Amino acid sequence: MTQQPLLDPPAGPSILDEADILLARGRAGDVVDLLAPHVGREPEDVAAWHRMARARLDLGDARGAMRAAWAAWQQDPDGTESLYWISRSCTAAGEHAEAIATAVSACQQDPGNPRLHNLLGTAQLADGRVADAVANLQVAVELAGYDADLHVTYGLALFAAGRPLTAREAVGRALTLEPEHAGARAASARFESAMRGVADAPTLAEAADAFAESLRVRPGDQGGRRAGAARDAFAYVMRVSFVWFFTALLGVGALDLMGLVTVPDGLYLTLLCAAGMFALVARLARPVAGSPLT
């Protein structure tokens, strides 16, 4: 009788797959915990650095995101994905010259990629360079009219330039392409809010200027993001405290089982309650942050 070869067990999800799942669920802090030891062991894993940069951005840690993005670029200096995350991180930190230069470099390397032109437009709007953003995005939309994100950013730039009708048309095209596009719906709501006090040309100009200002990111405007990073640091302290108390619980339990010490029941209960409390607080302290232009 011929023995059939055993089938290999199905492979579990890779660490990058796990990171993607956590990012989709808004658990950026867990992604940092997952990937930090991995990139320490395998610093050449460019894709892991990219996910680390995204997680840091979601947590509001622009500087940490920049470090991760630059680490990826050092391993793959020709990759546009690393340039993408460098630019986004620099924009979040208010370092606009670097953000725009990096986005331009990425567009030059892959000129047909609408995601990169969208990145450049976002960086220009964050720096207050509305006319440059409109010019760049107009060309990009003509070449890649199928990209809904590009239409949304183009609409934001048009409104900031004082062209609300064409801005609404751009966002309308995004909704035609993707009826449930969250960014397009949010942009439409922002347009309606900005137009409430518009009665004539001067008030339209004021509304457009105020809208353009709302898209800017200044180096001193990171207070909310710093608060998110501080909250994540607090969660980290709580996780470390949980590990220490849980380890202590296991340790005294082992000593008690070996008969080396006599542990009162009250100590078990205290250590167990403390570990549970720290675990719960760490879980509740997870920050969730979004993009400054959404």
Side-chain angles (χ1 to χ4, degrees):
M1 180 177 181
T2 304
Q3 185 176 5
Q4 296 294 327
L6 296 176
L7 295 176
D8 292 333
S14 70
I15 192 169
L16 297 183
D17 292 334
E18 292 181 37
D20 288 338
I21 292 171
L22 292 171
L23 286 168
R25 294 175 178 173
R27 294 167 58 183
D30 289 333
V31 174
V32 173
D33 293 340
L34 174 70
L35 293 180
H38 173 72
V39 293
R41 293 189 304 267
E42 301 182 29
E44 71 283 356
D45 192 338
V46 174
W49 282 118
H50 293 159
R51 287 160 176 79
M52 178 71 84
R54 177 183 168 185
R56 289 293 187 186
L57 278 176
D58 286 351
L59 293 172
D61 181 10
R63 297 293 172 182
M66 288 171 63
R67 290 192 293 270
W70 279 113
W73 181 85
Q74 289 172 354
Q75 300 296 327
D76 182 26
D78 295 326
T80 57
E81 188 69 11
S82 298
L83 294 174
Y84 174 88
W85 290 109
I86 291 171
S87 180
R88 278 198 57 182
S89 302
C90 288
T91 290
E95 296 190 5
H96 300 300
E98 187 69 35
I100 293 172
T102 308
V104 168
S105 179
C107 290
Q108 290 172 344
Q109 291 191 37
D110 189 2
N113 190 333
R115 180 168 173 255
L116 300 179
H117 289 281
N118 191 59
L119 172 73
L120 176 57
T122 299
Q124 290 168 329
L125 288 174
D127 192 28
R129 297 169 59 174
V130 175
D132 290 343
V134 170
N136 160 58
L137 292 166
Q138 182 177 3
V139 174
V141 164
E142 291 174 356
L143 296 175
Y146 55 85
D147 190 274
D149 291 338
L150 203 56
H151 284 291
V152 173
T153 308
Y154 185 38
L156 296 175
L158 288 169
F159 198 99
R163 299 163 59 184
L165 295 180
T166 48
R168 286 170 170 164
E169 290 174 0
V171 172
R173 285 191 288 272
L175 288 171
T176 300
L177 291 167
E178 296 183 26
E180 300 302 320
H181 194 286
R185 292 182 176 275
S188 294
R190 293 179 69 179
F191 294 167
E192 294 302 320
S193 177
M195 289 294 292
R196 282 176 189 155
V198 174
D200 49 26
T203 53
L204 174 59
E206 291 176 3
D209 289 344
F211 190 85
E213 186 63 28
S214 73
L215 299 177
R216 296 194 67 177
V217 177
R218 300 181 185 277
D221 291 343
Q222 305 300 310
R225 294 174 180 81
R226 281 198 285 273
R231 188 179 177 191
D232 189 52
F234 174 73
Y236 175 77
V237 172
M238 293 298 100
R239 292 197 302 275
V240 172
S241 300
F242 161 73
V243 171
W244 278 105
F245 274 87
F246 191 72
T247 302
L249 177 64
L250 295 177
V252 297
L255 294 174
D256 194 9
L257 287 175
M258 291 186 291
L260 299 178
V261 296
T262 300
V263 181
D265 293 339
L267 181 58
Y268 279 118
L269 182 60
T270 299
L271 292 173
L272 182 61
C273 290
M277 178 192 69
F278 285 122
L280 178 62
V281 173
R283 192 66 193 166
L284 293 176
R286 284 293 187 200
V288 177
S291 167
L293 293 181
T294 57

